[in-house]
Amino acid sequence: MLTFKKTYTFTLIMKSKVQHIYSQILEAKAKNHKLLAVLLDPDKIIWSKIDYLIDRINRSPATHVFIGGSHVESNSTDELILKIKQNCLLPIVLFPGNPSQISKEADGILFLSLLSGRNADYLIEHQVKAAPVLKQSQLEIISTGYILIESGSETAVERISKTKPIHRENINLVLATSQAGEMLGNKLIYLEAGSGAKQAVPLNVIELVSRNIEIPLIVGGGIVSLQGIENAYKAGADLVVIGTAFENNLEFFNFDKI
Ligand code: 1GP
């Protein structure tokens, strides 16, 4: 824990700057300041603990709050974002499984295209449906090449998108897909093992991709320890996403006891 705290300087991105989420990610990358997103799924929020959850986020090294899930059933996304905004200054970025999860209350959106799959719905159809809604919003739109990596068992993204992940040992295909995503004009590449994945994205894959693209690299899925976060940073991740580990243990980032 201590090593983790001392090794990385986290940039606190204040609310006044939230219209520039992407430029601040670029700035952090240029300075080698690592970024950390806490992912909240509106369907998994325990509302009786929401104030405590926000307090834990404020005390954590998180630089962003991501909101979303592969399959969000409730309509509580707006309510959740408004509640967080009352007491938390971090930028709130949508990480949607489909267009129904768009909320104008957020600051930005990862406009995802699932490049590892060959299901046209997740490559372009959902994006076409979302475009008119996004055009009417003030959300900062951050196009993101989303690449699912095989992680030991079927994940929600795989099940819902009806696509196969790229095999974790097929590193050349992960690289070519990442580079194609960059050439298509995406602003970010997101290497995803899947929420609650048994195995996180392999470090050699993170290393290879980060060395061979210019745009910032997000890594998430199956990272369950501070050491795991640190390893992903060392391998070249610019931003790490933590969902399940924080959801299961709100003390995951607690540095108070050090
Ligand atoms: C899932 O990458 C995110 O889309 C986070 O995954 O829930 O396993 O942390 P975890």
Side-chain angles (χ1 to χ4, degrees), residues 39 44 69-70 95 146 157 190-197 218-224 241-247:
L39 172 64
K44 294 183 182 162
S70 299
F95 174 51
Y146 190 50
V157 185
Y190 190 144
L191 298 180
E192 170 73 275
S195 190
I218 302 181
V219 175
I223 298 175
V224 292
V241 183
I242 295 293
T244 308
F246 180 66
E247 198 176 275

Side-chain angles (χ1 to χ4, degrees), residues 26-76:
L26 287 179
E27 201 179 312
K29 180 176 172 64
K31 293 178 180 167
N32 200 30
H33 288 176
K34 300 297 183 177
L35 303 169
L36 180 71
V38 168
L39 172 64
L40 303 178
D41 180 336
D43 276 355
K44 294 183 182 162
I45 295 297
I46 300 168
W47 285 91
S48 58
K49 289 187 181 170
I50 186 70
D51 291 328
Y52 189 70
L53 179 135
I54 295 169
D55 174 72
R56 292 291 100 178
I57 293 173
N58 284 332
R59 288 171 188 267
S60 81
T63 56
H64 296 76
V65 177
F66 285 3
I67 305 275
S70 299
H71 186 64
V72 176
E73 281 183 3
S74 71
N75 294 317
S76 53

Side-chain angles (χ1 to χ4, degrees), residues 117-152:
R118 296 297 177 267
N119 180 345
D121 284 352
Y122 287 84
L123 278 165
I124 187 62
E125 176 67 15
H126 286 316
Q127 294 80 349
V128 170
K129 287 196 175 124
V133 181
L134 292 174
K135 202 71 187 166
Q136 297 297 319
S137 79
Q138 302 295 314
L139 294 170
E140 181 176 339
I141 295 156
I142 308 169
S143 58
T144 302
Y146 190 50
I147 299 173
L148 185 61
I149 316 283
E150 181 261 314
S151 59

